[in-house]
């Protein structure tokens, strides 16, 4: 697929790695130089996997990034015998950070913002936190709350139908394309094509419908507000002014709940900052992690 960020990304060293955690194998990718001044652990969003954050990685300067696939998504299998709820994801992320990069900054995008914030509030050792498109209010109350309610019915049906029918529904390419069209805000036809093809390729790489349903219920039952007051570390929020999941007004309120938070707003983009405006997001992150930035103090 035509990738507008390919030339930049081709210059980034990348290594695929595996580590045993919680009785399963977590697959993750290490980007950048091993001796980079800063290390970032990047947690992707719902139904996504590590590929989704690569446009941001391509624009980062002087940052080593460890980007795992969440349990049950991409190349990481589910954790055996466990429900994939927030407690499980928090336990997994805390273990991953301790085993691969103790003391690294943690970044969470969308659903990953809930996992990252909950883990840091629960004691994950990190000097700072970055949240991109944070879920700063209940999804059912967002500008497109009616679409979220339809999504609740969609994932419930996928979980309750006979196995083959449920799986086919959840991986239906027309529905996946509809989700992509609803989220994309760019008017650039080539960039829109790239976004849609990314979702076509990676949005259905979940292990099974049980994991997907657990994660969806977690995503609509939690938001970052509950954890913000307990996060003492400097926090960067990168939010979109046209986000249909969390309106910008709610993001501005969310920023006030953290003891030490900075909010960067990006105009003319919605919930796909990582695809549509990765350079702007990466510039904010690079500055935050720089020696003079709040993320290092």
């Amino acid at each position: 697929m035509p990738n507008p960020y390919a030339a930049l990304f081709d210059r980034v060293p990348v290594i695929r790695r595996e580590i045993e955690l919680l009785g399963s194998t977590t697959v993750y990718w290490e980007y950048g130089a091993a001796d980079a001044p800063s290390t970032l652990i990047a947690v992707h969003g719902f139904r996504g996997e590590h590929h989704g954050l690569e446009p941001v990685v391509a624009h980062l300067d002087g940052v080593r990034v460890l980007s795992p696939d969440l349990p049950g998504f991409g190349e990481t299998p589910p954790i055996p015998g466990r429900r994939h709820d927030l407690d499980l994801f928090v336990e997994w992320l805390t273990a991953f950070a301790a085993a691969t990069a103790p003391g690294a900054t943690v970044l969470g995008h969308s659903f990953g913002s809930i996992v990252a914030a909950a883990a840091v509030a629960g004691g994950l050792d990190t000097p700072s936190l970055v949240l991109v498109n944070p879920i700063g209010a209940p999804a059912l109350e967002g500008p497109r709350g009616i679409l979220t309610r339809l999504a609740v019915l969609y994932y419930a049906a996928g979980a309750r139908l006979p196995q083959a029918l449920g799986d086919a529904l959840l991986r239906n390419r027309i529905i996946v394309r509809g989700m992509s069209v609803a989220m994309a805000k760019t008017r650039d036809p080539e960039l829109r094509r790239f976004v849609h093809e990314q979702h076509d390729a990676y949005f259905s790489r979940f292990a099974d419908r049980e994991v997907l349903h657990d994660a969806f219920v977690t995503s609509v039952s939690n938001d970052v507000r509950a954890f913000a007051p307990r996060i003492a570390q400097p926090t960067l929020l990168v939010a979109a002014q046209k986000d249909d999941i969390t309106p910008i007004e709610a993001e501005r309120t969310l920023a006030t709940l953290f003891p030490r938070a900075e909010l960067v707003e990006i105009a003319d983009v919605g919930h796909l900052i990582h695809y549509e405006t990765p350079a702007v997001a990466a510039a904010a992150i690079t500055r935050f992690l720089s020696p003079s930035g709040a993320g290092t103090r």
Side-chain angles (χ1 to χ4, degrees):
M1 63 185 72
N3 184 336
Y5 312 114
L8 276 176
F9 188 71
D10 285 346
R11 299 199 295 264
V12 179
V14 56
I15 303 173
R16 181 188 181 278
R17 300 190 183 277
E18 297 182 1
I19 188 170
E20 297 301 310
L21 295 173
L22 307 184
S24 182
T25 301
T26 290
V27 182
Y28 68 101
W29 285 258
E30 180 178 354
Y31 302 96
D35 60 352
S38 301
T39 297
L40 193 67
I41 295 173
V43 186
H44 64 76
F46 176 67
R47 283 192 72 146
E49 37 116 282
H50 72 282
H51 283 102
L53 293 172
E54 286 184 340
V56 177
V57 171
H59 289 87
L60 289 173
D61 183 25
V63 181
R64 169 177 170 251
V65 180
L66 304 184
S67 184
D69 284 346
L70 283 157
F73 295 88
E75 294 188 32
T76 298
I79 305 298
R82 296 287 299 273
R83 181 178 180 185
H84 286 63
D85 56 12
L86 185 57
D87 288 343
L88 180 278
F89 287 117
V90 165
E91 182 182 352
W92 165 83
L93 177 57
T94 302
F96 178 82
T100 61
T105 294
V106 176
L107 177 150
H109 169 255
S110 188
F111 174 65
S113 74
I114 299 173
V115 176
V120 174
L124 188 156
D125 180 23
T126 182
S128 53
L129 177 64
V130 178
L131 303 179
V132 179
N133 285 121
I135 307 300
L140 293 172
E141 297 177 7
R144 294 196 179 186
I146 184 62
L147 292 182
T148 304
R149 288 177 172 81
L150 291 174
V152 170
L153 296 175
Y154 167 69
Y155 286 106
R160 293 171 184 169
L161 285 169
Q163 181 75 41
L165 289 175
D167 194 68
L169 175 66
L170 294 170
R171 300 180 195 273
N172 184 278
R173 293 179 66 87
I174 296 175
I175 294 176
V176 168
R177 177 56 62 91
M179 294 177 186
S180 187
V181 169
M183 289 188 288
K185 300 299 181 187
T186 180
R187 295 183 180 180
D188 182 329
E190 292 188 4
L191 184 54
R192 287 185 71 88
R193 180 184 174 190
F194 169 72
V195 168
H196 297 332
E197 290 185 344
Q198 286 280 299
H199 286 138
D200 288 348
Y202 305 122
F203 216 50
S204 294
R205 294 188 68 198
F206 53 88
D208 56 55
R209 62 180 184 168
E210 288 78 17
V211 166
L212 186 65
H213 184 258
D214 286 350
F216 175 74
V217 171
T218 298
S219 72
V220 297
S221 303
N222 299 274
D223 62 76
V224 176
R225 295 177 307 171
F227 311 107
R230 293 187 279 136
I231 297 174
Q233 292 91 334
T235 300
L236 173 67
L237 309 179
V238 183
Q241 292 184 350
K242 293 185 177 180
D243 197 335
D244 290 322
I245 295 179
T246 301
I248 193 61
E249 293 80 9
E251 302 286 31
R252 293 167 183 161
T253 299
L254 175 65
T256 69
L257 302 181
F258 288 87
R260 302 169 64 189
E262 172 190 355
L263 173 64
V264 172
E265 299 183 16
I266 304 180
D268 301 321
V269 67
H271 202 65
L272 302 180
I273 283 174
H274 57 308
Y275 283 142
E276 297 185 23
T277 58
V280 181
I285 295 166
T286 300
R287 176 184 51 76
F288 181 71
L289 296 178
S290 69
S292 60
T296 60
R297 298 197 299 270

